[in-house]
């Protein structure tokens, strides 16, 4: 179960945060595959702690020998045993902490994999509503908090809790009255922990949200710097960023004051407990119930509790912060998990990444009779590469984008989607590609034999950091250099690729050789060629190129689509001219369908678009 996180402003709908119960359940599920490692690590730590508890009685023995005026030779055995205890405890503690740390790293790696997998499955519109800052803060800050807790807090917490329990048992063995005296500190410690936890969980959760909002504002300001300067909005953006920074700083200072109050209360508990044990020792020695050495051992036992008790309570700080981060990560994994099983799914990414096959995306079905199911349906459409059946979609209540769109793409057919801005073209393309789930209706796409069925190429192409060859091999990891060159040649990009400083080994992406938008798009099209899908979906894939590069990119796209079924969201109507069929969307509905010549001569919506777009342009003959 997840709960929505509070938005930083009215424009953002942040990703949800898991409830404490759901977070604990997710943590148990993450640990379950490594139960043996967990039990072994804890068992070794128990042994190490138990061996360490022999130090205080040995020191008490030394005190008794000295107090009784016995020969110095009697000290040899206790001293040798102290050295042996130190050696054994050191070895067993190292082994135990190593195994606990390995458990933590394994669980952390599993959590990261699940988070990335689920995040890649998130519908694009959901990410857009949340904003990049929220997801970025979870990927960076929250993962870092959980990682730090796993690497340092988890082993220390395990050792501290074991030390506390076994030390209290040792006090009882010396004399139960020592244990009762030591327990006088417990009420203060429990009240301190309760006081802290009640405040910390909400505070740290608010702090993570504030940091996410601050990061989102920074990303928006930097990403839109040209627009901000062009509209003279520097002051407004600066004030908004400063306000979110002040909010983050205010929450940080509140957490600092909380921690200081926490430490002060712990010191009071220590003084109460130690004074009680010393007074009990005084009375017991005076009455002859215990020796001076035993009273010394009891005092040393309680003093040795300072470290583990304080560590365990102080680690509540890291635990609460990590729990807040873990809840935010689990919230994403739960959000992305499909609500009901489907036949399959597509997973395009990075501009031109392959998707598993087969796939069928299903939303709630229209009921036309008692035989229609409200859940997913398995269907085959004879002779059709893609069948879109009564697909509707809305980005929230009252925000419909598509209305019962039905469309069939025949094998090898190139269909251009045309319409004004907001007509629903990109939404329909995302649904066909499997990136977006429809609110209603079904999409049945082709199944490939060992090859990806669908690849989506958008106008926002990401160039991954690494060599150009590695970037290309994202689409086909086993591709040879010859196949990479063949794909680049097919999209007319081989000449500039080989002219790079190190050819295909040139590092591109962040911190590497910069590729302009047209070349980055050709790289995405080359990945499409390598992936070799049955269906390609191009969502304004040539829009980023200027007028000079538009014709080159259109030639590249035409070459990449050769021999495969394609759905093309046309940014320029020259793409519609070259398509086998043109489908016109208007306010989320199909209003026209036919060839370019048919629709141009029909004097309908497409003809109006053509006249407005072409003007003095000379359109190429199809």
């Amino acid at each position: 179960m997840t709960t929505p996180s509070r938005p930083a402003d009215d424009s953002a709908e942040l990703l949800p945060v898991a409830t404490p119960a759901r977070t604990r359940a997710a943590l148990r599920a993450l640990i379950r595959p490594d139960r043996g490692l967990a039990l072994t690590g804890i068992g070794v730590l128990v042994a190490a702690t138990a061996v360490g508890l022999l130090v205080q009685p040995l020191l008490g023995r030394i005190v008794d020998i000295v107090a009784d005026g016995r020969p110095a030779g009697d000290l040899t055995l206790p001293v040798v045993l102290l050295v042996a205890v130190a050696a054994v405890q050191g070895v067993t503690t190292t082994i135990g902490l190593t195994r606990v740390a390995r458990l933590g790293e394994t669980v952390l790696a599993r959590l990261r994999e699940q988070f990335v997998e689920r995040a890649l499955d998130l519908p694009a519109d959901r990410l857009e509503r949340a904003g990049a800052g929220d997801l970025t803060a979870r990927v960076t800050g929250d993962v870092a908090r959980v990682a730090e807790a796993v690497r340092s807090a988890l082993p220390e917490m395990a050792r501290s809790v074991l030390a506390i329990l076994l030390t209290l048992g040792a006090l009882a063995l010396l004399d139960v009255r020592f244990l009762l005296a030591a327990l006088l500190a417990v009420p203060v410690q429990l009240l301190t922990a309760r006081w802290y936890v009640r405040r910390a969980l909400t505070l740290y959760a608010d702090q993570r949200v504030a940091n996410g909002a601050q990061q989102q504002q920074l990303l928006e300001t930097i990403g839109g710097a040209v627009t901000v300067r062009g509209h003279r909005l520097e002051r407004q953006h600066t004030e908004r960023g400063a306000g979110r920074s002040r909010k983050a700083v205010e929450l940080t200072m509140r957490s600092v004051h909380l921690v200081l109050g926490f430490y002060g209360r712990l010191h009071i508990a220590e003084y109460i407990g130690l004074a009680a044990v010393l007074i009990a020792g005084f009375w017991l020695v005076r009455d002859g119930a215990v020796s001076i050495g035993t009273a010394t051992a009891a005092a040393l036992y309680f003093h040795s509790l300072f470290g583990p008790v304080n560590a365990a309570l102080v680690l509540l700080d890291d635990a609460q912060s990590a729990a807040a981060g873990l809840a935010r990560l689990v919230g994403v994994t739960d959000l992305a998990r499909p609500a009901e099983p489907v036949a399959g799914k597509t997973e395009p990414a990075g501009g031109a990444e392959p998707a598993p096959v087969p796939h069928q995306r299903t939303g709630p079905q229209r009921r036309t009779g008692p035989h229609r199911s409200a859940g997913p349906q398995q269907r085959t459409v004879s002779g059709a590469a893609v069948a879109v059946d009564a697909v509707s979609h809305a980005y929230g209540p009252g925000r419909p984008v598509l209305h019962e769109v039905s469309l069939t793409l025949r094998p090898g057919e190139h269909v251009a989607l045309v319409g004004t801005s907001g007509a629903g073209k990109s939404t329909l393309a995302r649904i066909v590609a499997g990136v977006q789930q429809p609110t209603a209706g079904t999409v049945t796409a082709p199944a490939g034999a060992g090859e990806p069925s669908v690849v989506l190429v958008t106008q926002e192409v990401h160039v991954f950091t690494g060599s150009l060859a590695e970037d290309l091999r994202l689409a086909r990891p086993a591709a040879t250099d010859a196949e990479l060159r063949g794909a680049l040649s097919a999209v007319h990009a081989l000449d500039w690729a080989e002219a790079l400083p190190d050819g295909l080994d040139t590092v591109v992406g962040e911190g590497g050789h910069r590729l302009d938008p047209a070349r980055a798009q050709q790289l995405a099209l080359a990945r499409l060629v390598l992936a070799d899908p049955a269906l390609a979906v191009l969502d304004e894939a040539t829009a980023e190129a200027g007028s000079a590069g538009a014709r080159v990119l259109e030639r590249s796209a035409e070459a990449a689509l050769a021999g495969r079924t394609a759905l093309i969201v046309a940014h320029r109507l020259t793409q519609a001219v070259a398509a086998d069929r043109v489908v016109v969307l208007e306010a989320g509905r199909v209003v026209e369908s036919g060839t370019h010549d048919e629709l141009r001569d029909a004097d309908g919506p497409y003809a109006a678009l053509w006249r407005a777009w072409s003007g003095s342009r000379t359109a190429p003959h199809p």
Side-chain angles (χ1 to χ4, degrees):
M1 180 179 179
T2 57
T3 56
S5 55
R6 292 189 293 272
D9 54 40
D10 295 336
S11 64
E13 182 185 337
L14 300 184
L15 297 168
V17 177
T19 62
R22 173 64 195 127
T23 303
R24 290 191 295 270
L27 185 59
R28 288 194 296 270
L30 287 168
I31 295 175
R32 191 172 296 119
D34 297 293
R35 289 191 300 268
L37 182 61
L39 293 174
T40 304
I42 293 174
V44 175
L45 283 179
V46 168
T49 305
V51 171
L53 293 178
L54 296 175
V55 171
Q56 288 82 356
L58 289 173
L59 290 175
R61 178 64 175 166
I62 292 173
V63 170
D64 282 338
I65 291 173
V66 174
D68 293 342
R70 296 165 62 180
D74 290 351
L75 295 174
T76 303
L77 181 59
V79 171
V80 171
L81 290 176
L82 281 173
V83 174
V85 166
V88 173
Q89 186 185 26
V91 172
T92 52
T93 300
T94 300
I95 296 174
L97 290 178
T98 299
R99 297 191 70 83
V100 171
R102 183 180 300 170
L103 170 68
E105 290 294 338
T106 303
V107 170
L108 178 62
R110 189 174 294 122
L111 173 64
R112 281 173 168 163
E113 291 169 1
Q114 289 184 7
F115 180 84
V116 172
E117 178 186 355
R118 300 290 189 260
L120 290 176
D121 280 343
L122 283 175
D125 64 297
R126 187 65 184 87
L127 285 177
E128 290 171 358
R129 295 200 304 272
D134 187 28
L135 186 62
T136 301
R138 299 185 191 221
V139 171
T140 55
D142 291 322
V143 170
R145 291 286 180 128
V146 175
E148 181 63 25
V150 164
R151 289 166 183 159
S152 59
L154 176 62
E156 186 63 28
M157 177 68 83
R159 186 170 65 171
S160 298
V161 170
L162 290 173
I164 293 168
L165 296 176
L166 294 178
T167 302
L168 291 176
L171 276 172
L173 289 176
L174 291 179
D175 192 295
V176 72
R177 287 167 287 190
F178 286 126
L179 174 61
L180 295 175
L183 292 179
L184 291 177
V186 172
V188 179
Q189 292 166 336
L190 291 179
L191 289 174
T192 298
R194 186 165 176 256
W195 172 83
Y196 176 77
V197 169
R198 281 186 170 183
R199 290 160 176 77
L201 187 58
T202 302
L203 178 58
Y204 283 121
D206 290 344
Q207 192 174 3
R208 300 308 305 154
V209 171
N211 288 339
Q214 181 188 33
Q215 200 161 9
Q216 173 68 21
Q217 181 62 45
L218 181 62
L219 289 172
E220 289 178 352
T221 302
I222 294 177
V226 175
T227 303
V228 170
R229 286 195 296 267
H231 290 273
R232 316 298 292 174
L233 298 174
E234 296 94 333
R235 181 178 177 182
Q236 293 93 319
H237 276 258
T238 300
E239 290 177 350
R240 193 176 304 167
R244 294 186 176 181
S245 295
R246 282 193 297 270
K247 179 67 173 177
V249 171
E250 176 189 345
L251 290 170
T252 300
M253 293 308 300
R254 283 176 54 191
S255 68
V256 170
H257 289 301
L258 182 66
V259 171
L260 291 176
F262 180 66
Y263 278 118
R265 287 166 171 80
L266 287 184
H267 291 323
I268 294 173
E270 290 174 1
Y271 295 142
I272 291 173
L274 184 57
V277 170
L278 290 174
I279 292 172
F282 171 78
W283 287 105
L284 291 173
V285 170
R286 194 187 68 168
D287 294 340
V290 299
S291 68
I292 296 176
T294 301
T296 301
L300 291 173
Y301 269 136
F302 187 81
H303 188 272
S304 70
L305 283 176
F306 285 10
V309 168
N310 288 347
L313 294 177
V314 168
L315 285 174
L316 287 174
D317 182 64
D318 293 334
Q320 294 302 314
S321 181
L326 181 61
R328 284 162 55 83
L329 297 178
V330 173
V332 173
T333 65
D334 285 351
L335 176 67
R337 186 176 293 112
E340 55 187 4
V342 294
K345 60 184 178 180
T346 58
E347 296 178 352
E353 295 304 308
V357 295
H359 75 273
Q360 179 180 17
R361 290 157 307 286
T362 308
Q365 306 299 308
R366 295 176 305 148
R367 292 189 178 273
T368 58
H371 65 284
R372 291 295 296 269
S373 167
Q377 298 181 4
Q378 285 283 5
R379 302 183 298 149
T380 57
V381 181
S382 177
V386 179
V388 178
D389 182 18
V391 162
S392 298
H393 189 69
Y395 293 115
R399 299 171 58 194
V401 179
L402 297 176
H403 305 273
E404 297 189 353
V405 174
S406 294
L407 175 66
T408 299
L409 278 70
R410 295 180 293 274
E413 185 181 26
H414 291 183
V415 174
L417 282 179
V418 173
T420 58
S421 179
K425 305 184 299 297
S426 292
T427 299
L428 180 58
R430 288 176 176 180
I431 290 174
V432 171
V435 174
Q436 185 71 53
Q437 299 290 324
T439 304
T442 59
V443 176
T444 305
E451 296 292 340
S453 64
V454 182
V455 163
L456 170 67
V457 182
T458 70
Q459 69 183 70
E460 298 176 356
V461 177
H462 182 71
V463 179
F464 294 88
T465 301
S467 70
L468 185 66
E470 291 171 341
D471 202 304
L472 288 167
R473 286 194 174 97
L474 290 170
R476 186 187 294 177
T480 64
D481 287 349
E483 289 173 327
L484 300 184
R485 288 186 170 84
L488 290 169
S489 177
V491 297
H492 312 291
L494 183 59
D495 289 343
W496 65 256
E498 291 187 329
L500 293 175
D502 297 313
L504 298 187
D505 293 326
T506 301
V507 175
V508 295
E510 188 71 26
H513 187 89
R514 183 182 177 277
L515 299 182
D516 61 40
R519 290 183 174 183
Q521 198 64 260
Q522 283 182 305
L523 180 59
L525 292 170
R527 288 201 293 260
L528 186 151
V529 172
L530 286 169
D532 194 22
L535 170 65
V537 179
L538 269 60
D539 184 6
E540 298 189 349
T542 63
E544 290 298 315
S547 300
R551 194 59 58 86
V552 173
L553 265 188
E554 287 176 8
R555 287 177 55 229
S556 299
E558 182 180 356
L561 298 179
R564 67 183 94 253
T565 307
L567 181 65
I568 307 160
V569 177
H571 177 71
R572 296 176 176 84
L573 290 188
T574 50
Q575 296 170 297
V577 174
D580 299 317
R581 183 156 50 103
V582 179
V583 173
V584 182
L585 286 181
E586 195 171 274
R589 292 181 170 86
V590 175
V591 294
E592 280 188 309
S593 178
T595 66
H596 164 75
D597 289 336
E598 291 170 348
L599 298 184
R600 182 190 57 190
D601 296 340
D603 200 25
Y606 178 79
L609 287 173
W610 175 257
R611 286 192 299 269
W613 181 83
S614 58
S616 60
R617 297 180 177 91
T618 302
H621 186 75

